[in-house]
């Protein structure tokens, strides 16, 4: 076997900084027994040839074929697991109507564990096949089905952070789909946290419980306060929706007389381990509060195009020091692919910068300095997600988890238009990000273990 569990040889792309890509051409990547990257060795390093000779021909040596490249596995910071069953449904109606007409009735069905298993098994394998190695999930209000999701992720080998959703306010939740009471919501959340922490003891890639108030409109102040206390008691992750749409943002302003950010902070819900979805309507004091508390943003560009009534000024927020990652927001976003969301993040930012109303003169049409590049969007899907979760993931470098996807650009059924293979590796990187389909993702590894392969 040798000293390492696996040795890979090939060309990898990883973020050097939020703006810059690092290209590791023909490197060796040594993975240790814990599934961590022990060494990254350049062809000109003295140990390259001896290491290569020691592993070549062994079953734990993997040389990427011509036209294959390594990317870090993607980190999806916002998925509603039950909503996979309605992906692509009714996206032409406003958020409030979509929640009440379609989403709450669907989520209520997850009291049935057989139905939950059917949907969750399919979703987790689909996300892995799309190159997503870590996911921050909303489940439903049901404690058992939420735990089932964590177990399925554990077994399929995905790194997962899972929340039992809390919705206890009768004013904004239907009788058929809410926690039994404020007390029950808190008791179930605590039991869920303890059960997931127990499960985590046997899971190499990591499974974490997440305190999950759906959003302020679904929750009483009392439950928000209790959830903040649980987050502190268990040093747990926190997730919610924050200032997503005109309606959601306005509702909180009217009820709490302040923006979501400050209302969540009042209850101890903005922490280093907090990730808030959307955040389109943050104002400057909210932005400063996020930066001060270490709260991260899950940017969900496809979902935003349907439900957020705006394009989030992601470049501006990043400039203020907030950690930002990407989310699919299945099923507010119809696609389970972060490739699709990387593309949309770039496209939406360009539309914000240039503006969209052709009847206005060019200089009045947009918001200057809003665009992000494809390299920056890739950072959001990888290293930015890792920073948001404070986990050593999203980069191909020593002391990070071996969470990777192998992209085959020459697959006959999904060949990328690459005609200058040896000339321009950054150009190939761009083509992969804009054009790769799930078929091009040949293998996916999490924590040093292969969890998906396509022949
Ligand atoms: N706000 C509260 N719940 C949801 C949800 O399920 N999806 C989205 N996009 N926004 C929400
Ligand atoms: Fe959401």
């Amino acid at each position: 076997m040798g000293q390492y569990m696996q040795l890979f040889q090939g060309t990898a792309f990883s973020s050097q900084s939020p703006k810059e890509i690092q290209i590791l051409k023909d490197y060796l990547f040594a993975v240790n027994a814990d599934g961590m990257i022990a060494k990254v060795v350049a062809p000109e390093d003295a140990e390259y040839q001896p290491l290569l000779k020691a592993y070549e021909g062994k079953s734990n040596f993997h040389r990427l074929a011509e036209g294959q490249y390594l990317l870090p596995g993607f980190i999806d910071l916002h998925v509603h697991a039950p909503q996979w069953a309605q992906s692509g449904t009714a996206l032409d109606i406003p958020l409030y109507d979509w929640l009440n007409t379609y989403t709450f009735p669907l989520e209520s069905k997850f009291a049935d564990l057989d139905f939950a298993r059917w949907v969750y098994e399919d979703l987790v394998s689909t996300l892995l096949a799309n190159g997503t190695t870590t996911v921050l999930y909303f489940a439903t209000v049901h404690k058992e089905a939420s735990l089932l999701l964590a177990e399925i992720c554990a077994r399929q080998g995905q790194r997962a952070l899972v929340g039992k959703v809390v919705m206890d306010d009768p004013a904004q939740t239907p009788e058929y789909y809410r926690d039994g009471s404020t007390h029950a919501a808190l008791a179930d959340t605590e039991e869920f946290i303890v059960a997931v922490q127990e499960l985590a003891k046997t899971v190499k890639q990591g499974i974490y419980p997440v305190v999950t108030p759906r959003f302020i409109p679904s929750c009483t102040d009392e439950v928000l306060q209790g959830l903040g206390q649980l987050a502190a008691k268990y040093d747990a992750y926190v997730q919610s929706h924050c200032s997503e749409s005109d309606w959601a943002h306005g509702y909180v302003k009217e009820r709490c007389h302040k923006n979501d950010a400050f209302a969540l902070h009042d209850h101890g819900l903005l922490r280093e381990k907090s990730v808030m979805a959307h955040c389109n309507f943050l104002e400057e004091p909210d932005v400063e509060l996020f930066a001060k508390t270490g709260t991260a943003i899950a940017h969900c560009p496809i979902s935003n195009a349907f439900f957020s009534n705006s394009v989030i000024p992601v470049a501006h927020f990043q400039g203020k020091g907030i950690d930002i990652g990407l989310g699919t927001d299945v099923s507010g976003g119809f696609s389970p692919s972060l490739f699709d969301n990387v593309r949309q993040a770039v496209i939406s930012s360009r539309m914000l910068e240039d503006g969209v109303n052709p009847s206005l003169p060019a200089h009045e049409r947009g918001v200057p300095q809003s665009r992000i590049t494809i390299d920056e969007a890739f950072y959001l899907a990888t290293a930015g997600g890792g920073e948001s979760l404070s986990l050593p993931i999203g980069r191909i470098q020593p002391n990070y988890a071996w969470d990777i996807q192998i992209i085959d650009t020459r697959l006959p059924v999904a060949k990328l238009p690459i005609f200058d293979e040896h000339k321009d590796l950054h150009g190939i990187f761009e083509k992969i990000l804009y054009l790769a389909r799930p078929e091009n993702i040949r293998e996916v590894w999490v924590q040093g273990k292969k969890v998906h392969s396509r022949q």
Side-chain angles (χ1 to χ4, degrees), residues 63-117:
R63 191 200 306 275
L64 267 61
E66 283 287 308
Q68 294 189 347
Y69 298 91
L70 286 163
L71 295 183
F74 286 152
I75 298 162
D76 191 333
L77 289 186
H78 192 53
V79 174
H80 295 270
Q83 295 176 21
W84 177 231
Q86 66 170 17
S87 260
T89 303
L91 291 171
D92 52 350
I93 60 176
L95 176 62
Y96 180 88
D97 301 327
W98 178 83
L99 285 172
N100 286 285
T101 311
Y102 294 92
T103 307
F104 294 160
L106 169 65
E107 291 192 13
S108 74
K109 289 170 65 177
F110 285 71
D112 174 351
L113 287 178
D114 290 333
F115 183 64
R117 186 184 307 280

Side-chain angles (χ1 to χ4, degrees), residues 161-178:
L161 304 94
V162 182
K164 175 216 127 38
V165 174
V166 169
M167 334 175 20
D168 74 322
D169 191 345
Q172 281 294 329
T173 55
E175 198 175 356
Y176 65 82
Y177 187 53
R178 71 168 75 111

Side-chain angles (χ1 to χ4, degrees), residues 80 83 95 98-99 103 214-215 241 244 278 303 307 329:
H80 295 270
Q83 295 176 21
L95 176 62
W98 178 83
L99 285 172
T103 307
R214 183 177 202 114
F215 62 159
H241 296 86
E244 175 180 4
H278 310 303
S303 170
F307 288 148
D329 194 20

